[in-house]
Amino acid sequence: MRVLGVDPGLTRCGLGVVDGSGGRTVKAVDVGVVRTPVDAPLEQRLHVVATEVAAWIARHRPDVVAIERVFSQHNVRTAMGTAQASGVVALMAAQAGIPVAFHTPSEVKAAVTGQGRADKAQVTAMVTRLLRLTDKPRPADAADALALAICHCWRAPMLERMAAAKARSDELAKAHKARLAAVAKGRT
Amino acid sequence: MRVLGVDPGLTRCGLGVVDGSGGRTVKAVDVGVVRTPVDAPLEQRLHVVATEVAAWIARHRPDVVAIERVFSQHNVRTAMGTAQASGVVALMAAQAGIPVAFHTPSEVKAAVTGQGRADKAQVTAMVTRLLRLTDKPRPADAADALALAICHCWRAPMLERMAAAKARSDELAKAHKARLAAVAKGRT
């Protein structure tokens, strides 16, 4: 499975492509960062991010695009820009017919370092080690994008099992409800 | 000037096209709302919004797309979805080469009703009156989109004057700085 991880942002948007083998082995394919000028109009900045992400999708043909789930806990203005960028990234995936998965920062940190409150340096160090890179990916947004892709490679089988279990339980609940309705009808 | 006003959202995205004459006279051209299913994947919902907005831009060829500026004061989850939708709308404008303007809800309310804390019913009533509509636009998102477009028609000349004044003052400051530097250089 090939995953394009995206750490969305307007000033810096991290992109990382990772191949997963099904097991724990992961391989780095490409990593980079898109920058847009702070003083450019918002729609132009989004346009640059969208164009670059579409180019990465066309070049690497990922099976999934994994995007960091944005929370507005910190600076509201920054969080809004990040959310707008993440929407544009998700749209590029949809336009290419590729499914999107969202993972929270703590899910990514927990997957890669074993603990959800790891700092940036720990995440970068683990990403470097897991992908057997000779140099640390820079800036941190690029390392975060690779971490997201790794996180998705590892969580995907579990998420699929959960989705299958949910579908099965929904089906059982539906059948049970139908049976109850039939019994009730038989009584009247 | 033709303005496409957009009240961004995933469940309901309001769209309203208004022609402004330069004075206070405004004319409704089209109004509508895009709905996306709550249980669809986020990227699919964004895709529906993007496709519809692009179709409206192609059909009505607005000079500007005016979008409501999102704040995350209320529900964080909803605010994030709204921000993602607004990013996608801004991107559609950028892809069509059309400038984007953002107005806050209170700027819109103040422009249309005369006070920034007007409620939805007051905004709808004023929009109906200003555009001389026979029926109130429904749902509220559609009325909000028209209000945004009217707001932009009326604020645009003022915003342009402010931008021109800012450019002029930046130029004067630059010239003044250059003169100071030349004087300082003459002294050494």
Side-chain angles (χ1 to χ4, degrees):
Chain A
M1 173 171 54
R2 174 164 289 187
V3 181
L4 167 60
V6 183
D7 183 18
L10 288 173
T11 307
R12 283 182 308 277
C13 180
L15 300 168
V17 182
V18 166
D19 279 346
S21 59
R24 299 291 282 181
T25 313
V26 280
K27 209 183 105 194
V29 176
D30 201 355
V31 63
V33 66
V34 185
R35 294 169 198 273
T36 76
V38 180
D39 54 352
L42 175 65
E43 68 272 23
Q44 295 304 331
R45 304 182 76 184
L46 291 168
H47 194 26
V48 171
V49 170
T51 307
E52 273 298 311
V53 168
W56 276 63
I57 289 174
R59 196 184 311 143
H60 295 295
R61 307 191 155 276
D63 300 298
V64 182
V65 176
I67 308 178
E68 187 167 297
R69 195 183 288 281
V70 184
F71 288 106
S72 68
Q73 59 231 12
H74 304 303
N75 184 323
V76 171
R77 208 188 175 88
T78 309
M80 288 298 115
T82 308
Q84 288 169 320
S86 83
V88 157
V89 172
L91 175 68
M92 292 302 109
Q95 285 182 348
I98 297 170
V100 173
F102 289 90
H103 302 283
T104 65
S106 53
E107 283 165 351
V108 174
K109 289 172 185 174
V112 173
T113 72
Q115 63 133 321
R117 304 190 63 179
D119 62 21
K120 285 200 174 288
Q122 288 172 293
V123 171
T124 298
M126 278 306 294
V127 163
T128 310
R129 207 164 107 189
L130 289 164
L131 296 171
R132 294 167 306 284
L133 304 173
T134 44
D135 295 312
K136 286 181 188 171
R138 291 265 173 250
D141 314 76
D144 282 347
L146 289 170
L148 254 159
I150 297 171
C151 168
H152 187 79
C153 287
W154 291 351
R155 292 190 84 213
M158 187 259 292
L159 294 174
E160 270 165 36
R161 279 197 303 274
M162 277 170 66
K166 167 101 177 40
R168 177 83 188 119
S169 99
D170 286 353
E171 208 175 282
L172 285 171
K174 207 173 147 191
H176 181 65
K177 217 171 151 186
R179 216 174 303 127
L180 284 180
V183 168
K185 207 176 173 188
R187 273 198 199 130
T188 57
Chain B
M1 174 170 55
R2 174 164 290 187
V3 182
L4 167 60
V6 183
D7 183 19
L10 288 173
T11 306
R12 283 182 309 278
C13 179
L15 299 168
V17 181
V18 167
D19 279 346
S21 59
R24 300 290 285 180
T25 312
V26 281
K27 210 184 103 195
V29 176
D30 201 355
V31 64
V33 66
V34 184
R35 295 169 198 271
T36 76
V38 179
D39 54 353
L42 175 66
E43 68 272 22
Q44 295 303 331
R45 304 182 76 184
L46 291 168
H47 193 27
V48 172
V49 170
T51 307
E52 273 298 312
V53 169
W56 275 63
I57 289 175
R59 196 183 313 142
H60 294 295
R61 307 191 156 277
D63 300 298
V64 181
V65 176
I67 309 177
E68 187 168 297
R69 194 181 289 280
V70 184
F71 289 106
S72 68
Q73 59 232 13
H74 305 302
N75 184 324
V76 171
R77 208 188 175 87
T78 308
M80 289 296 113
T82 307
Q84 288 169 320
S86 83
V88 157
V89 171
L91 176 67
M92 291 304 106
Q95 285 182 349
I98 296 170
V100 173
F102 289 90
H103 302 283
T104 66
S106 53
E107 283 165 350
V108 174
K109 289 171 184 173
V112 173
T113 72
Q115 63 133 320
R117 303 191 63 177
D119 64 20
K120 285 199 175 290
Q122 288 172 292
V123 171
T124 298
M126 278 308 292
V127 163
T128 309
R129 209 164 107 189
L130 289 165
L131 296 171
R132 293 167 307 283
L133 304 173
T134 44
D135 295 313
K136 286 182 189 173
R138 292 262 173 253
D141 314 76
D144 282 347
L146 289 171
L148 254 159
I150 297 171
C151 169
H152 187 80
C153 287
W154 290 351
R155 291 190 85 212
M158 188 258 293
L159 294 174
E160 268 164 39
R161 279 196 303 275
M162 276 171 66
K166 167 105 177 37
R168 177 81 188 120
S169 98
D170 285 355
E171 207 175 282
L172 285 171
K174 207 173 146 191
H176 181 63
K177 219 171 149 185
R179 216 173 306 126
L180 284 180
V183 169
K185 208 176 170 188
R187 272 197 200 130
T188 57

